[in-house]
Each structure stands twice: as C-alpha cells, then as structure tokens.
Amino acid sequence: MPEFIIRKTQLIIEEVHHDGGPKPEIPRMLGAILACVRNPFAGQYEANLQPAMDDLKPLGALMSARLITALGGKDKVDGYGKGAIVGEAGELEHAALWHAPGGYAMRGELNDSNAIVPSCMKRGGVGSRLDIPLGHINAAYVRSHFDGIEIGLPDGPKADEIVFGLAMSCGGRVHSRMGGLEVSEVKGEDGLR
C-alpha cells in the first residue's frame, strides 16, 4: 500500500460581500482545502494505479468534513469541485487518483448530491496555481453555480509531491443573471436538471 504522507494542509475561506451591484443579504461563501502529500509514484511508472485510490479515501473524508465545518455545515453547501497539481516527477495519472476519493468523499458527506463533481488537474512546479471549477451539487445545468476558486501553495508541490484540493460554495454567484435552470427548479433526479 502506497503512503501519501501529508506535509501540510491549507484551508481557504472566501466571503463575497459585494461584486459591483447591490449588496447580497448574506455574503456568498466559497472555500477550498488543500493537502500537500508525498507522491509514492514519483519518478517511476506504475501500471496499476487504481488500488491507490482506496488509500486516499480517508484523506478525502477528512478534507471534506473539515471544509464543510468551515463553511457552516452541509445544509449551506450547494456547490463543489475538486482538483490536483502533481509535481514535476509525477504524471497526470497520479493527479487523477483524486477523482474517486475526492469526489465521492464530498458526495458522501453532502448526502443529496447527484451532479458530477467538476474537476481540473495539471502538472506543475512549486507555487503552481490551479482554478478548481465549481458546479451545483444536484444539477449540472444550474448556471448561477458555474464558478471557480484558485488554489495553490507557495512551497508546493515539490517534484515528488501532489497537492490535492476540494472546493465548495454556498450559493451561486452574487449577481447571477444569465438565465438557465434556477436553483428553485432543480429536480436532482439525474444530476443534470
């Protein structure tokens, strides 16, 4: 079993009090949590990576719970996304290990979440940044929740590390007015509408 040893974590909470128009009644909240871990596959080719996803499940659960708590509880969260930055000695498939453990951890903690978890990954050096896309947790077509949050660490990922990230939001963009499916119209049956 590979070990994804945590070097550091970071929790980001953003409150949007104004965005050029009327002030919202309640500030919109976005958050992300990052874990910078040792990449046990750095510098080598491993044909069968899928079993390592199971090793990352506890990390996904821990990060999900911490982020939900920081945002005020699961009843407030209605948007999510995930991402990973793999260091230079790794490959994109090492970042892709995060798809199931990160996504299913959030979905499990949030109970009613049927929509696919938007995702982004890349290879990068120390200080690399990544925009994690966000979407509504039950209906991918809710335009008000198309957004993102930028993540990154000033000292990671090192060549033999991976930065795994989870992101969540409470509410849509402050002045969303692009039409489409509204939150009040979500049926949540198929993850699309």
Side-chain angles (χ1 to χ4, degrees):
M1 290 182 24
E3 284 193 84
F4 296 90
I5 299 166
I6 298 172
R7 178 166 68 86
K8 70 186 315 182
T9 61
Q10 182 182 76
L11 181 64
I12 303 162
I13 300 296
E14 181 178 318
E15 292 183 359
V16 182
H17 292 269
H18 191 270
D19 199 20
K23 186 176 179 180
E25 284 183 36
I26 300 170
R28 180 179 187 223
M29 292 185 66
L30 297 95
I33 187 166
L34 290 64
C36 186
V37 304
R38 184 180 73 81
N39 180 356
F41 304 111
Q44 61 187 357
Y45 178 80
E46 173 60 48
N48 187 13
L49 292 170
Q50 289 187 20
M53 286 193 279
D54 286 337
D55 299 314
L56 287 167
K57 285 180 179 178
L59 180 61
L62 174 71
M63 292 170 64
S64 295
R66 282 191 62 202
L67 184 54
I68 289 167
T69 298
L71 288 170
K74 64 183 175 183
D75 294 339
K76 295 184 179 188
V77 175
D78 64 355
Y80 55 22
K82 64 184 183 302
I85 307 169
V86 66
E88 299 162 37
E91 58 179 289
L92 282 181
E93 287 304 290
H94 303 160
L97 285 167
W98 195 232
H99 284 308
Y104 283 113
M106 286 192 295
R107 293 175 80 176
E109 290 286 330
L110 295 170
N111 300 333
D112 289 331
S113 55
N114 298 313
I116 191 167
V117 181
S119 181
C120 187
M121 60 187 169
K122 73 181 210 180
R123 180 185 294 115
V126 170
S128 292
R129 309 291 292 173
L130 181 72
D131 288 332
I132 295 182
L134 293 165
H136 193 274
I137 65 171
N138 278 314
Y141 290 155
V142 177
R143 291 183 195 160
S144 61
H145 285 60
F146 294 170
D147 200 356
I149 186 168
E150 185 182 26
I151 65 154
L153 296 171
D155 62 346
K158 296 176 183 176
D160 64 346
E161 292 179 331
I162 306 171
V163 174
F164 291 122
L166 298 179
M168 297 180 193
S169 61
C170 304
R173 295 184 314 278
V174 170
H175 302 302
S176 173
R177 51 194 186 279
M178 292 298 117
L181 185 68
E182 297 292 336
V183 172
S184 62
E185 300 169 331
V186 170
K187 294 180 183 167
E189 296 167 354
D190 59 4
L192 299 176
R193 294 181 169 73

